[in-house]
């Protein structure tokens, strides 16, 4: 009997031009490197967990996300959780994540879902939540 397949990914390809995306400009001007680090951390969390989205509905969800990101950026220059929340909001405002889904407590985007689809196209029995899925 085969082991059940997890929904997330162990590896995801990264678009080499993602950091040059014009959508990043406003976030990079305001938050510098932190915008990129938060974006990367969110991608890792999304792809590793459910594969194409991240729950961000409850205060507990938000605290866990902030905690994981803070753990990624720990170093000489400490960052506060409130700053992480602001950066996430800015990334949504800049359209790097879907505003509609964010309002529903979900962090996702078409780019994320396209990558997930490409990585799982050969898997059998991949199920997606049609309320979240943005692709045709």
């Amino acid at each position: 009997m085969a082991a059940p397949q997890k929904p997330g990914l162990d590896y995801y390809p990264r678009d080499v031009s993602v950091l040059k995306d014009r959508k990043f400009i406003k976030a990079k001007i305001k938050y510098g490197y932190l915008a990129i680090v938060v974006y990367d951390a969110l991608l890792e969390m999304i792809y590793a967990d459910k594969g194409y989205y991240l729950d961000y509905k409850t205060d507990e969800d938000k605290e866990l996300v902030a905690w994981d990101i803070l753990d990624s950026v720990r170093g000489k220059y400490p960052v506060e959780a409130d700053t992480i929340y602001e950066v996430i909001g800015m990334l949504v405002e800049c359209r790097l994540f879907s505003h509609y889904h964010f309002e529903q407590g979900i962090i996702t985007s078409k780019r994320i879902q396209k990558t997930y689809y490409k990585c799982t196209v050969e898997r059998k029995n991949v199920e997606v939540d049609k309320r979240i899925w943005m692709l045709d």
Side-chain angles (χ1 to χ4, degrees), residues 85-130:
Y85 299 136
E86 289 173 18
V87 173
I88 292 171
M90 175 66 74
L91 295 172
V92 172
E93 184 182 318
C94 292
R95 299 183 338 261
L96 287 157
F97 297 111
S98 164
H99 185 270
Y100 171 80
H101 288 87
F102 189 73
E103 292 289 315
Q104 312 305 314
I106 300 290
I107 298 177
T108 192
S109 72
K110 279 190 177 181
R111 177 182 280 172
I112 289 167
Q113 292 186 11
K114 284 179 187 177
T115 300
Y116 180 75
Y117 175 77
K118 288 176 186 176
C119 290
T120 60
V121 72
E122 293 187 19
R123 284 187 186 176
K124 293 180 177 155
N125 301 323
V126 173
E127 293 185 26
V128 295
D129 186 333
K130 298 294 183 190

Side-chain angles (χ1 to χ4, degrees), residues 22-99:
R22 296 180 66 81
K23 293 177 186 177
F24 261 117
I25 292 172
K26 190 174 177 183
K28 286 196 292 189
I29 288 171
K30 185 164 184 179
Y31 295 103
Y33 78 91
L34 191 58
I36 295 165
V37 172
V38 170
Y39 183 75
D40 277 342
L42 287 169
L43 290 182
E44 286 184 13
M45 291 165 46
I46 290 166
Y47 289 127
D49 186 30
K50 294 179 183 69
Y52 63 98
Y53 75 95
L54 185 66
D55 284 319
Y56 200 71
K57 293 180 180 103
T58 67
D59 287 341
E60 183 180 359
D61 291 338
K62 293 173 184 176
E63 287 173 7
L64 289 172
V65 167
W67 177 261
D68 284 347
I69 294 171
L70 286 168
D71 193 42
S72 297
V73 299
R74 183 170 301 153
K76 183 175 181 179
Y77 304 104
V79 177
E80 299 293 326
D82 287 341
T83 304
I84 299 298
Y85 299 136
E86 289 173 18
V87 173
I88 292 171
M90 175 66 74
L91 295 172
V92 172
E93 184 182 318
C94 292
R95 299 183 338 261
L96 287 157
F97 297 111
S98 164
H99 185 270

